[in-house]
Amino acid sequence: MPPERTNGAGGTGGGLAVPMAWLCADCLADELLRAAGLAPPGSLEFRAGRQTLALTVHLSLPPDAPGPKARGRTAGRAEEWLRRTAHARAWAAWVEERIAGRLAAGGEDDPDLDLARGTWRTLTGTWLRATDLEGLATTGPGCRVDESVQVWLPAWELGLPLAHLALRLR
């Protein structure tokens, strides 16, 4: 059976399935992170933030949506994305729920979902060394971060605050 969405090459049927929703989400995430200037493009931090934000954008859309820009509702969705990226543990559980739900709904052959699943595997399987913000005492205005105290984090834990800040700075 030919895929439902094709790139138009080769006439009717047999065309290559194009993951438009994922590509739109990834493009939007890239634009937001570049505009925010929180990490140099090409760095591991930037990549983690872009992938985290792309997952958030993509999984917040209905499974059959062509993408956030095509729907013309980016501004309204940004508030939802801000809420989603505000709490790390809730975000990770939400991502796993959304992926599982789409798989259960028959998304095994969905190229967008394949890319989202691969991105989630990359974000959970890649560990980065970063400043320990968990041990930060947040009492008073003299609070300082000791950047010499570092920990290993899965990439999504570093990417999530970058994604959240990029959304705030938009």
Side-chain angles (χ1 to χ4, degrees):
M1 172 182 279
E4 290 181 35
R5 295 180 293 169
T6 63
N7 68 356
T12 60
L16 178 65
V18 179
M20 289 307 297
W22 177 261
L23 293 174
C24 288
D26 189 53
C27 182
L28 178 64
D30 188 76
E31 287 176 15
L32 287 168
L33 280 163
R34 284 180 191 274
L38 298 170
S43 68
L44 290 174
E45 294 85 357
F46 182 88
R47 185 173 169 190
R50 190 192 83 230
Q51 290 176 332
T52 300
L53 186 52
L55 258 181
T56 304
V57 169
H58 178 69
L59 293 175
S60 69
L61 296 171
D64 59 349
K69 285 186 172 183
R71 312 268 344 245
R73 294 160 56 182
T74 302
R77 295 222 179 253
E79 291 303 316
E80 178 187 351
W81 302 333
L82 270 169
R83 283 191 310 276
R84 293 271 176 227
T85 59
H87 305 288
R89 300 299 174 223
W91 182 82
W94 175 78
V95 167
E96 290 178 350
E97 272 177 27
R98 297 293 286 202
I99 289 174
R102 289 188 182 190
L103 282 172
E108 299 89 14
D109 296 328
D110 179 3
D112 291 303
L113 186 57
D114 286 344
L115 288 171
R117 290 172 64 200
T119 297
W120 182 234
R121 281 191 301 272
T122 299
L123 287 170
T124 57
T126 303
W127 288 69
L128 303 173
R129 191 127 168 96
T131 300
D132 182 18
L133 297 178
E134 290 290 322
L136 179 65
T138 57
T139 56
C143 172
R144 298 183 136 252
V145 175
D146 183 359
E147 292 187 25
S148 66
V149 179
Q150 296 195 337
V151 294
W152 286 98
L153 300 170
W156 71 266
E157 283 193 37
L158 182 61
L160 196 62
L162 289 173
H164 187 76
L165 286 171
L167 288 166
R168 282 248 179 246
L169 296 172
R170 70 169 176 20

